[in-house]
Every structure is written in C-alpha cells, then in structure tokens.
Amino acid sequence: MMLIGVDYHPSFQTIAFLMEETGECDERQLNHSAGEAERFYRDLQQRGIRVRVGMEATGYSRWFERLLAELGFEVWMGDPAEIKAKRVKKQKFDREDARLLLRLMRENNFPQIWVPGPENRDLRQLLWHRHRLVQMRTRIMNQLQALAMNEGYRWKKKLFSEQGRAQLEKLALAPWASRRRQELLELLDRLNPTIEELTAAVEREARKRPEVLRLMTHPGVGPLTALAYVLIIGTPTRFQRGKQIGTYVGMIPSEDSSGSKQRLGHISKQGNSLLRFLLVEAAQAAARIHPEWRRRYIRLAVRRHKSIAKVAMGRRLGVRLYWMWRNGCEYSPSFEFGSYVGQLGTGHGMK
C-alpha cells in the first residue's frame, strides 16, 4: 500500500508519499498540463501498487478524481477546516501541507467527509445552471424596468405581460437606449424557453425519487427545493440530529464569545449557498400560504427583523425536511410548531 498526501492546485500538485511495506518516502511536484501527474498515477497502477490518496476538498479537481476512480485507487477527501486545525507548525507551504495530509493518514486521524457520486454531481449542475440563468433573467428584467421608469412609467409586473411589452416597445427612446431595449428583450426571449426546459427536467428528476416527492408534501416546498435538498444533504444518516442541518447549510449565527460575554454575528454561510437560498425562498412561500407559518414569521419579524425572520424560518424548514426524510413521513398538520413533550405516539415532533 502506498499512501499519498496531495496538496492540490489547478495547474500542479505537490505530493508526499510513503510505501508502507518498505518505508520508502519521497516528495515531488507534478504538473497537470504536461500530463506528468496522469503518467505518475498510471505507472503506479501498471506496477500493481495499491494506492490511497488523501487530499483536501477543493474545486477544479473533478478530472483528477475521475482519473483515480478509473485506476481503482482509494481516495480520502478531507475537511479543509479540520485539517487546518490539526496543523501544529506556524508554517504553511505546499510540501508541508502534503506532509501533513500524509501524517494524518498514517495516524488514522484523517478527517474524511462524505463525497457525492458522479450522478449526484451532474444533477447539481442542472440545478446550478437553472439558478444562474434565472439570476441572469432577473438582471435583464430589472434593466428593462429601469428603462421604463426613466420614461416615467412604473408598471412593475405588468411590464412583462403582452400589453406591457407592447407599450414598452412603443416608447420613443434615444438611439442607444432603443438598441439596449431591443437587445435586452431578445436576451429575455432566448432565456425564457431555456429556463422552462430546465425546469421541466428538474420536475422529471424529482418524480423519479420517492424521498423528493415526500418532501414536496410540505407547504411551500416544490420540486426544485426538494431535489436540491436531497442531492446536497445526500443521506439523512449523515446527521445525528436535525439541528446539525442548520450548521451544515451555514444558517446559524457566527459566534465570538468569551467568559460571560456572548457575541453573535451574522450567519456563518459556511454551507451550500444554493440550498440556503432555496430554503429561505421556500419558507417565505410557506408563510404566504400556511397560516401557522405566517403567524410564526410575523411574530419573529416584529420581535427582531424581517431578514432575521426569513433566515430563521428557512433554518426551521431545513430541520423539518430532515425529520420528514429520516422518519419516512409525509407532511401532516399534526406536527406544526409547539412542544410535544409528554405526548404519546410522537417522536421528534411527529406522529
């Protein structure tokens, strides 16, 4: 068995490796663009050496992970924050990082994290692609609203109806403003069919998964939020309790307390930004259509602030979906807000 600690960069990687049987160890730097890294690992496979690779979770490494999977090598993906906490020396450079990863593997102290499979990652690309296109469409629509408002018209949502668009196209504008209006409308016409196609694809993927359909029974939760929740959380068994969902998604306040002084800041935002956005949006939708969620939201908004209330309701929704998924339950009004301590036939706020 060869243990390899990899400090990965987009253009190269620094490795520290150890042969367990012989005790041979070495360090080197492998370039990616010249194919040096790929040749190194393929040579190990041809020699029949079993390999375990440890590296921090990072971006731009999909090709490298696919290569290791193709070669049949074992890959340990580590939590960067926990690895940083285990660094003893106040020195950080590529070779030292690779040595640290190798040492953690040898000591069986490597902080492994859950890694999604190829299909999961590809479906996440569908969600991200649709999300980014919707953001682009929103920017275009805002620019068209600004053009209309500069001419003294404030039509809001009516601007994008057939009648509102016809009125917008009839506005007498200066040459460059007219060209801007025309090209923005063309971009909008190109984006709308693409977004509809991606939305239909999301709905088809949601119908294939019973757990997604189960989460969609909750008020305010549609196929996009439910599918993103299942893909990003992966499996409910990763978490021992529902409160850990808020930490994982980054919807808990940052804290810098000492002694008797408690200092709470903004939310940590240390999780998946797409899921955090969708949970807040779904919680607002639930507050609009469900009286109990609306009462709870208004109460928090009056006591604190609207932005704090939105995040709090989004975090509560994330916890609720976790227990629905873990217990295999569909939504029921019987487990809304409140205490269920001492009541028979209930667990975790559910029947």
Side-chain angles (χ1 to χ4, degrees):
M1 170 69 74
M2 173 184 281
L3 303 180
I4 305 178
V6 177
D7 182 53
Y8 185 90
H9 295 268
S11 57
F12 68 93
Q13 58 182 268
T14 303
I15 66 172
F17 61 85
L18 169 71
M19 291 292 296
E20 288 189 328
E21 289 79 4
T22 63
E24 176 189 356
C25 59
D26 197 3
E27 301 170 2
R28 65 177 63 180
Q29 180 174 300
L30 305 173
N31 290 322
H32 296 159
S33 57
E36 183 181 3
E38 183 173 353
R39 287 194 298 270
F40 173 79
Y41 290 102
R42 290 193 182 278
D43 180 65
L44 293 178
Q45 186 206 33
Q46 293 175 0
R47 292 161 55 188
I49 300 176
R50 293 185 300 118
V51 176
R52 178 182 299 154
V53 176
M55 59 184 292
E56 291 185 5
T58 182
Y60 314 111
S61 62
R62 298 288 171 82
W63 72 271
F64 182 54
E65 296 175 40
R66 287 196 299 269
L67 172 65
L68 297 178
E70 176 190 343
L71 299 177
F73 293 165
E74 185 179 359
V75 181
W76 286 7
M77 199 67 65
D79 185 346
E82 291 192 30
I83 292 174
K84 181 179 179 181
K86 296 178 185 297
R87 183 177 291 114
V88 178
K89 297 181 180 179
K90 291 187 177 181
Q91 293 179 325
K92 186 185 185 305
F93 51 93
D94 294 343
R95 289 182 179 271
E96 182 61 32
D97 290 344
R99 293 183 201 130
L100 173 62
L101 294 171
L102 178 59
R103 177 172 62 83
L104 294 177
M105 294 172 68
R106 293 179 60 190
E107 297 173 352
N108 199 24
N109 195 25
F110 192 86
Q112 279 187 270
I113 61 174
W114 173 79
V115 179
E119 182 184 4
N120 185 311
R121 285 180 166 177
D122 192 49
L123 285 177
R124 291 190 190 192
Q125 294 300 312
L126 166 64
L127 299 178
W128 272 113
H129 186 44
R130 182 192 177 279
H131 181 62
R132 294 306 186 196
L133 290 182
V134 170
Q135 288 181 324
M136 292 170 59
R137 182 177 65 180
T138 301
R139 295 189 186 101
I140 292 172
M141 295 171 71
N142 289 341
Q143 293 180 65
L144 291 172
Q145 288 281 7
L147 282 173
M149 291 172 65
N150 280 327
E151 300 301 317
Y153 299 96
R154 191 180 184 189
W155 294 319
K156 297 184 178 181
K157 293 182 179 180
K158 295 180 181 179
L159 177 65
F160 303 104
S161 63
E162 292 184 6
Q163 181 180 1
R165 174 159 178 165
Q167 292 177 341
L168 176 64
E169 292 176 341
K170 292 178 182 178
L171 292 179
L173 302 177
W176 284 109
S178 177
R179 176 175 174 176
R180 183 187 180 198
R181 173 186 58 189
Q182 177 186 354
E183 294 182 354
L184 287 174
L185 289 173
E186 290 175 356
L187 287 173
L188 190 62
D189 292 338
R190 291 170 56 187
L191 282 176
N192 282 330
T194 304
I195 293 174
E196 292 176 0
E197 178 186 355
L198 295 176
T199 302
V202 170
E203 293 175 350
R204 288 195 299 271
E205 293 296 334
R207 288 193 293 269
K208 296 178 183 178
R209 293 164 171 78
E211 62 273 19
V212 174
L213 297 176
R214 186 178 302 118
L215 299 185
M216 288 171 58
T217 60
H218 193 286
V221 178
L224 180 62
T225 302
L227 181 62
Y229 190 90
V230 169
L231 293 178
I232 294 170
I233 298 301
T235 171
T237 57
R238 295 173 57 200
F239 306 92
Q240 297 180 354
R241 56 186 65 87
K243 289 184 178 180
Q244 293 176 342
I245 295 293
T247 304
Y248 182 76
V249 183
M251 301 180 74
I252 62 170
S254 57
E255 184 171 2
D256 184 17
S257 301
S258 179
S260 59
K261 293 184 178 179
Q262 186 181 35
R263 302 181 183 90
L264 298 178
H266 298 290
I267 59 174
S268 64
K269 296 185 179 181
Q270 289 183 313
N272 188 283
S273 59
L274 175 60
L275 181 57
R276 187 165 55 248
F277 170 82
L278 293 175
L279 285 175
V280 172
E281 289 290 308
Q284 294 181 71
R288 287 192 296 269
I289 63 178
H290 195 280
E292 191 64 29
W293 279 78
R294 181 165 57 251
R295 181 193 66 80
R296 183 80 175 189
Y297 168 74
I298 293 175
R299 181 183 177 188
L300 285 172
V302 171
R303 287 175 51 206
R304 305 297 297 274
H305 192 271
K306 286 185 178 180
S307 59
I308 296 177
K310 291 177 182 178
V311 174
M313 298 301 289
R315 181 172 62 247
R316 187 177 292 272
L317 177 61
V319 176
R320 175 67 58 77
L321 296 180
Y322 166 79
W323 285 118
M324 288 175 59
W325 186 7
R326 180 164 177 171
N327 293 346
C329 301
E330 295 187 355
Y331 172 78
S332 172
S334 61
F335 53 85
E336 274 303 339
F337 303 100
S339 175
Y340 293 83
V341 176
Q343 297 185 18
L344 298 177
T346 61
H348 305 296
M350 297 185 180
K351 286 188 177 180

